[in-house]
Amino acid sequence: METLMELAATLGPRHCLTASDDIAPYAVDWRGQWKGMPAAVLRPGTTEEVAATLRACAAAGLAVVPAGGRTGLCGGAVVPANGPPSVILSLERMNRIRDVDARDFSLVAEAGCIVQNVQQAAAAVDRLFPLSWGAQGSAMVGGALSTNAGGIRTLRWGNARDLVLGLEVVLPDGRVLNDLRRVRKDNSGYALRHLFLGGEGTLGVITAAALRLVPALKRVETAFVAVPSPEAALNLFSRVMGSGAEVIAFELIIGTCMEIMSRNAVGIRIPLPLGSPWYVMVELAAAHPSVPLREMLEDTLAAGAEAEEVLDAAIADNEAQRAMIWRIREDWPDSGRREAPCINTDTSVPVSAVPTFCARVEAVLAERWPEGRLIAIGHAGDGNIHVSLMAPTGTPYEAWSARARDAEAIVNAIAVELGGSFSAEHGIGQSKRHAMVTHKDGVALDLMRAIKAVIDPRGMMNPGKMLP
Amino acid sequence: METLMELAATLGPRHCLTASDDIAPYAVDWRGQWKGMPAAVLRPGTTEEVAATLRACAAAGLAVVPAGGRTGLCGGAVVPANGPPSVILSLERMNRIRDVDARDFSLVAEAGCIVQNVQQAAAAVDRLFPLSWGAQGSAMVGGALSTNAGGIRTLRWGNARDLVLGLEVVLPDGRVLNDLRRVRKDNSGYALRHLFLGGEGTLGVITAAALRLVPALKRVETAFVAVPSPEAALNLFSRVMGSGAEVIAFELIIGTCMEIMSRNAVGIRIPLPLGSPWYVMVELAAAHPSVPLREMLEDTLAAGAEAEEVLDAAIADNEAQRAMIWRIREDWPDSGRREAPCINTDTSVPVSAVPTFCARVEAVLAERWPEGRLIAIGHAGDGNIHVSLMAPTGTPYEAWSARARDAEAIVNAIAVELGGSFSAEHGIGQSKRHAMVTHKDGVALDLMRAIKAVIDPRGMMNPGKMLP
C-alpha cells in the first residue's frame, strides 16, 4: 500500500511494521479478550511524526487506533473486529520526560512514558506524582490520560484528569493543539483539554502532557482492617475523614476475595485471620514528618472498634508490611483469574450509597445465580466498587459468560439507579458501548456525537470505541 | 413584544421586568465600565422555567445574557453595547441549596446561591467549601462556575472547576443536560461539563451544580511577611511547600500597595512597618487539631530569615489578627480605586517565572510610563499576579486610559512569552476579546468556534463575549 510505504520512509522502516509476527502483539489486548488485525503498526518518535502519520492516514482513508502500554481493560487500544482498515499508532517511542521543575511542582512527559517512570522522576526531586494503580509499571501516560485513569489514590488527588496542567494533542487532520503549558490558571476560553482527557483517542492523539506534582510524602501509615459490613466500612470512612487526617486510600474488599487469595496467591501474607465478611485498607499520609499520624490512625481505629465498626485491625509497622498490604490489593486480579472466570463491572455510586449498592447487588445476584460467588473490591472512599460474579470452580469462561452475561447489566442498572455510573474508571472502549445506549443520558449522547462530528468529521479516530 | 408577554405569563409579571427603572441595575456592571440595555430582565425560578425562557427566546430571535451576582470584572453579564436585541436571564431566584451530604462531602446548589451561603451550609455540617474570594458575599454559584473563578485558595483546592462533581445545564434550545450527580468517578464519555465550566454562558445556562466539600479546617496559621524581592518570595514559597505543611494561600503584594492602603483604607492595621519593597501573606491549615502548625510556620520563617528571604514577619495570634491580614488583601481594590485609576491585567505565569515576570514588567513599564506606579498583587503560589499600572494622583480615568492603554497588551505579551496566560482567573467577557485574537492559539480558537457552532448554532447565548 502506497501510504504505508511513504510512512515507512518518513518514520523509518523499523517503525512501520507490517510483518504479521511484528504486528501480532498489537493485535490482541493483554487479557486476550479483544482481537483485531491492523494493516500496520506505526511508531512515530516525535510530535511532528505523529502529525505526518495522521495526515497520511487521513489522506488514505485509514482509521487510526492510538495505543500506549495497552494495559486497558475495555479493548480501547485494539482494532475492532469488524471495523474499517486501521493502523495502530503506538506512542511507545515518545518516552522522554521533557522537563521536571520542582519549584513549579510540574513535569512534562511524552505520551509513551511509563507511569512508574514519571513517579520515579518526580521522587528524584522530592515530589510525588500521585497517580497509581496496579498496571503502573507498564501503563503509559498517554493511555492514562486518554482513559482518565483512576486508581488507589483518587480519593486524595483525583483521577488523571485532575493532574494535568497542559496538553499537546495532534488532531485527526494533523494539526497540533499546543496547550502544553505549566501555568496553573488559565481562563482564556473553553477548557478544550478536558475533551481529550478521557476521550479515549476518539478526538485526537495526546502526544505530551504537563503534569502536576505534589509535595513528597514524609510519613505514611497503612492499616488492614476487618469490618462486619459495608455499612460499618462507611461509618469508619466518615470517622477517618472526619478525624482530619489526610486519607489517601480507603479500599473495601469482600471476605470471599481474601479466602480465594489465601489459596491462590503466591508469597502473600494476610495480616489478619480469615473469616471476616469484609475488609478495609486505609492509608493516611503526611508531607510533614511531625504530624502524629500513627496516633491519629490508632485513635480512629480504637474509636471505630468501640462503635463496632472495626472487628480487628493490623497497622503496618514497617515498609515491608505496608508493601504486603498493597500487594494483597494489587494481586487480586491474578488470584481471581486463577480461581474461576468472572463477569466484571466498573461501577461507582455516591459514597453514602455504597452499603445500599452492595446489599442490593448481593440480593439480586444470589437469587438469580445461587451458584455464583459475589466479588466486590474497590475504592470505597470514592464510591467505585468493582463487583464481579464469579463462576463455580472449573466452569469454562465461555459457559459462564453465556450463563451469567446479564449480571453486568443488572449491576450497572443498580449503580445508575443509585445516582452512580456504569463506567467509573476503566472507560468505555469496546466493552461498554452497549451500556452507553442503555444508560447514558440522551442529551449528553447528542452532544458527544456533535462534538465528535466537528473534530473528527470522517470518523477516522479510534472508530468503534466509546460512542455507541 | 409578544414573546415577553408570553414569558410574563409563564414566569409571573414580577419576574419579567421591562420598566426601565427595574432594568437599570442590570444594564451596567458594578464598576460602571460596561453598559448595555436589555429588552427585558427575566428571572425564572426553576430549571423548567429557564428551559421555557430559552425556548421562547430562541423562537423570537432574542439573545440571552445569563447573570448571577454580577460581580465579574470583564463585562460578561452585561448586554454588549452594539449587540443584538438581548434579554438578561438572571438566576437570582434559583437560590436553593437542594442537598447537603456530609458523608459524601457534597452539596447541591442552584446557580443563584450566593457563594458565602454555600460556605456556611458546608460549615454547618463540619465541612469546608473552599472557593473563596473578595466578592463571595455577592457572587453566585452560577457565575463562579461559568467563569471558573479562582481566588485565594486555588493553590490548595483549585479553581471552581475542580470543585464540581456534576452539573445541570439548559442548552440554547431549551434541552436540559442532566449531569447533576454526586458520584466522584464517571468515565462514560466526553467530560461535557468542562465546556460549560468556564464557558461564560456562551454554550448554555448552568442552573445547578453538585459541589465537592472537604474536611473542615481545625487549625489555621497566617503570617504577614516582608520580603526583599519576588525572587526571595519564590524561595520562601519553595521552602514552605517543601516543609510539608498544608499551604492554602500564598499571596504576593508590592510595597506600593501597602503604602497606598495605609493612606486610603479605613480601619486597616498593617501588622509590619511600611518600607519593604514586597510583602507576602502565607496561610497554613490542618484538618487535624494535633498538627503542630504554629511550629511549622515559625520554623519555616526562621529558616527563611536566615536565608535572607524574610526581612520581618508577623504571625496572627488570634482570629481577629488573622481576619485583619485578609482584610488587607481584600480591601486593596477599594483602596486602589480611591487613589488613582489603573490599567489592570489578570496574568499568570509558571510559579518559577514569577520573579522574571515581575522584573521584566517593572522595567518595561517604568521606561515607557515613568509617571505611572507599578501595582502587583496576586496569588503568587499559583503564578497569578495581577499587574496594574496606576496613574499619578489626580489623573482622570479617561486620560490615563488613553495614555497608558498599551500597558495591558505589553504585560499580557510578557506573560504569554513566559508560558503564561493573559486571562488567569477573571475570564474573557467583553474586556479581553481583543487579547484572544492576539494571544490565543489559532488551532484552539478554531476548535472553540467549531464547538460553539454545534451547540449554539444561531449564536444566541451571550453574544459578544469570550469568542473574538
Side-chain angles (χ1 to χ4, degrees), chain A residues 257-325:
Chain A
C257 285
M258 302 311 304
E259 283 155 31
I260 292 170
M261 230 177 304
S262 73
R263 286 198 300 275
N264 294 359
V266 179
I268 290 277
R269 202 186 65 76
I270 299 171
L272 290 179
L274 294 177
S276 174
W278 294 85
Y279 295 86
V280 155
M281 291 171 183
V282 56
E283 187 158 276
L284 309 185
H288 197 288
S290 74
V291 174
L293 212 57
R294 178 84 181 205
E295 293 76 356
M296 290 179 183
L297 183 55
E298 286 171 350
D299 290 354
T300 302
L301 291 175
E306 204 153 299
E308 300 184 351
E309 297 155 7
V310 170
L311 298 173
D312 199 354
I315 301 180
D317 274 324
N318 51 49
E319 184 52 35
Q321 291 183 3
R322 180 178 164 259
M324 180 55 77
I325 290 177

Side-chain angles (χ1 to χ4, degrees), chain B residues 160-347:
Chain B
R161 178 188 305 288
D162 303 300
L163 298 169
V164 174
L165 298 171
L167 273 192
E168 180 185 87
V169 179
V170 181
L171 299 177
D173 59 8
R175 286 182 301 167
V176 178
L177 178 65
N178 185 357
D179 185 33
L180 197 56
R181 286 178 301 173
R182 293 174 295 139
V183 69
R184 270 155 207 273
K185 279 173 152 182
D186 179 19
N187 274 348
S188 64
Y190 304 145
L192 297 170
R193 71 164 171 266
H194 287 288
L195 290 174
F196 303 98
L197 297 167
E200 302 192 9
T202 62
L203 296 174
V205 179
I206 294 174
T207 48
L211 301 170
R212 192 162 77 86
L213 307 180
V214 301
L217 301 179
K218 299 303 180 191
R219 296 197 54 185
V220 178
E221 294 287 350
T222 310
F224 189 80
V225 185
V227 299
S229 65
E231 185 66 49
L234 175 64
N235 290 339
L236 180 62
F237 175 69
S238 287
R239 186 181 298 281
V240 67
M241 289 293 287
S243 78
E246 188 172 333
V247 189
I248 64 170
F250 192 92
E251 304 280 310
L252 178 66
I253 308 177
I254 199 165
T256 315
C257 284
M258 302 311 304
E259 283 155 31
I260 292 170
M261 231 176 306
S262 73
R263 286 199 300 275
N264 294 359
V266 179
I268 291 278
R269 203 186 64 75
I270 298 171
L272 290 179
L274 295 177
S276 174
W278 294 85
Y279 295 86
V280 155
M281 290 172 183
V282 55
E283 189 157 274
L284 309 184
H288 196 288
S290 74
V291 174
L293 212 57
R294 179 85 181 202
E295 293 76 355
M296 289 179 182
L297 183 55
E298 286 172 348
D299 290 353
T300 303
L301 291 175
E306 205 153 300
E308 300 184 352
E309 296 154 8
V310 170
L311 299 173
D312 199 356
I315 301 180
D317 275 324
N318 51 49
E319 185 51 35
Q321 291 182 4
R322 180 177 166 260
M324 180 57 74
I325 291 178
W326 285 112
R327 254 191 79 186
I328 296 173
R329 175 67 185 87
E330 284 160 14
D331 271 9
W332 165 252
D334 285 337
S335 289
R337 235 186 321 275
R338 277 195 284 273
E339 178 76 7
C342 280
I343 305 295
N344 295 312
T345 68
D346 176 26
T347 43

